Every structure is written in C-alpha cells, then in structure tokens.
C-alpha cells in the first residue's frame, strides 16, 4: 500500500533529528491523551545516552507511556478491527505493518541488547537498565504499526510526527527524554545489520553495533577480516565467528588455499567437505554452469549442502528439493 514505502524510509532514516518538529509531535500526543504538555525536553545523542539521562532525572513524574502510546494504539486497533472485521484487519496488517515488522523489531531488539551490554557494568545493573528501556517509545522503529494506521484517522498523528523526526523517546509527566536517530545504518538485502568494515549501526556519541549478515560480532573482529588465512580460520574457537570468517573469506578460496581434497565426484559436480572442530562439517558441491559466459568461459558455482550429504549428485538434488535418485535433469543449464 501507499504508506509502506514511506514508513520503511522512516524506520531506516539516519541523520540529525528535527527537534522542533519532534517536540511538537510529543505535545500533540500528550494533548490527544488528555495530558498536560510536558514542561521540559532533554535530548540525548543515542538510546544509550538517553537511558543514562533518564536515570539522572530528579522529578520527571510518572511514566505516561501507556497514556500516550499503548492505550491509543490499542483503542485504534480495536476500532479498525471492528470496522474491517477479522479478515479485513488481517489483510490490512499483511499489506502494511507486516512488511516492516520483522526488520524493525529485530533492529529494536539489537539496540536494546547493545544498551544493556554497554550500561550493565555489573550483573545486578541489568534489571535497572531493562526497566528504563521498558518506558521507551520507539519513535522511528515503531514504523510497522504506524504504517497500518496511517490515513485512517488523526488520533495517532502526534506519535507519527515524532517517529518521522526523531529516534526513541521516554515520556514522563513533566519531562520527556528524546534520542537522536543513528548517523549510520548498514543492512544486507534481508534487512539484517551487516557491515564488514565498521559499525553496522552507529550514533554520533559512539554508541555502535557491529554485525556481519545479522550476527553480532566484536569491533576488533571486523578489523581482522582483511588479513584472514586458512590457519587463522581453523584456529578460531568460536564456531559462530568461524562461520563468519568462512563466509567473508569465501568457501571456494578456503578449499583451494587449505589444500582440501574432494570426497566425491560424479557427472553433476565435485563434493568437498571442511571438518571444523566443535562445529558441524561444511559441505559444498562444486558445479560448472554448462551455459558459457559471453567470453566463452564456464562459470563455477559452490553450493552449500547439508553436512550428511554423501555424493555430489545428492547435494545438487537437495538444492532442487529432490532426493539424489530422483535427480535426472533432461538438460543442464
């Protein structure tokens, strides 16, 4: 629907917040909730800094998150559900919010985890940090459900205005703490955090998340990727990091440079196996495209297959959802 792309852009927006527009959105949200407008706005450069700012507040009043966000959202959802019926609401959600939910909720979860990891210096600090995070309205990362309500009434206009112009925010009776948006965001084609040469998500105060194809990695780990060797990959004790190394280095390059030997070959290709300590074997089928490239060469492909694969044909068949004995292509392409 027409609103999905605009809200997708909101969820991925980077750069400085429009503070005046965001604050006006907060005031509108308070008025729509029947509350007096807040007396004070405190801005922070990241959600981490915002949590620290909340912890330093002396008399902000009670949290009004339920008043300005939870209750209006629930009542609007009920109104639309009653208006559209179960099938109509399901269709609306599928066409709008569901398109954004997975990536935005996963990103919010990663930010929460990063804030907790940075601020919970002692194990006993973790619950305090998580409690503060529970008071947050997610601003731009509430894009999924705001997309579903867009164009269907004006009750949530204040929340939408904040989301379009700022990051997370913490509403209390007298004080609102507001976070800037990230300055950097890198994701892969699946929408997962992904960067091989720096932070995948970074705020201007230095709060950052590092990831490779969605998997959290230490910052120092990324700096090492450019100098990988087969020996270094084999020496990595962490199985998840070792898989990242293999993906970055390239399975075909690793096989070639590590002196691996094929375990089976037939008319469909060559089966290779990489044994890894503390992890399942990596098994690949090397196949050659029978259709020549424009320059007359034939491109080689490497297909990752289940570790129990015994023959090249069985591996190629698996990529087509078939059993080995059922795979008999009439013509290779």
């Amino acid at each position: 629907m027409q609103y999905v792309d605009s809200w997708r852009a909101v969820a991925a927006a980077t750069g400085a917040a429009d503070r005046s527009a965001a604050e006006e959105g907060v005031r509108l949200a308070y008025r729509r909730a029947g509350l007096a407008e807040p007396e004070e706005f405190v801005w922070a450069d990241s959600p981490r800094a915002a949590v620290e700012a909340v912890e330093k507040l002396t008399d902000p009043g009670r949290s009004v998150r339920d008043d300005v966000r939870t209750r209006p959202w629930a009542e609007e959802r009920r109104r639309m559900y009653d208006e559209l019926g179960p099938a109509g609401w399901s269709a609306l959600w599928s066409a709008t919010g569901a398109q954004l939910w997975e990536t935005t909720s996963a990103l919010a979860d990663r930010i929460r985890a990063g804030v907790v990891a940075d601020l919970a210096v002692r194990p006993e600090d973790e619950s305090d940090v998580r409690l503060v995070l529970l008071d947050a309205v997610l601003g731009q990362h509430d894009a999924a459900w705001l997309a579903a309500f867009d164009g269907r009434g004006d009750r949530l206009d204040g929340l939408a205005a904040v989301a379009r112009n700022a990051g997370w925010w913490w509403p209390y009776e007298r004080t609102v703490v507001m976070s800037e948006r990230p300055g950097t965001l890198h994701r892969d084609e699946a929408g997962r955090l992904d960067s091989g040469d720096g932070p995948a998500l970074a705020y201007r105060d230095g709060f950052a998340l590092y990831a490779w194809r969605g998997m959290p990695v230490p910052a120092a780990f990324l700096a090492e990727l450019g100098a990988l060797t087969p020996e270094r990959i084999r020496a990595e004790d962490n199985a998840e990091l070792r898989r990242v190394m293999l993906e970055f280095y390239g399975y075909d390059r690793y096989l070639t440079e590590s002196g691996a030997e094929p375990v089976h070959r037939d008319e469909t290709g060559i089966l290779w196996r990489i044994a890894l300590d503390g992890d399942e074997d990596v098994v690949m089928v090397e196949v050659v495209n029978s259709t020549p490239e424009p320059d007359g060469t034939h491109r080689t492909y490497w297909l990752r297959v289940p570790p129990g694969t015994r023959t090249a044909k069985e591996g190629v068949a698996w990529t087509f959802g078939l059993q080995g004995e059922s795979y008999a292509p009439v013509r290779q392409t």
Side-chain angles (χ1 to χ4, degrees), residues 97-162:
Q99 305 294 315
L100 309 177
W101 177 257
E102 186 174 346
T103 53
T104 54
S105 62
L107 181 57
D109 287 344
R110 288 293 310 280
I111 292 172
R112 289 190 192 94
V115 171
V116 171
D118 276 14
L119 297 183
V121 179
R122 304 168 302 171
E124 56 267 32
D125 297 333
E126 183 172 330
S127 61
D128 293 337
V129 175
R130 291 190 183 279
L131 284 173
V132 174
L133 288 168
L134 287 176
D135 285 339
V137 181
L138 302 188
Q140 68 182 119
H141 298 142
D142 271 333
W145 62 267
L146 287 170
F149 296 133
D150 204 348
R152 294 182 171 271
D154 60 5
R155 186 175 181 190
L156 304 180
D157 283 358
L159 295 174
V162 184

Side-chain angles (χ1 to χ4, degrees), residues 215-248:
M215 196 189 95
V217 296
F221 175 81
L222 292 179
E224 187 184 8
L225 291 180
L228 285 176
T229 64
E231 293 74 23
R232 172 65 186 92
I233 294 171
R234 285 194 296 270
E236 175 57 51
D237 293 330
N238 185 301
E240 290 186 332
L241 294 182
R242 192 166 54 214
R243 282 195 290 272
V244 172
M245 289 177 168
L246 279 168
E247 288 184 2
F248 187 90

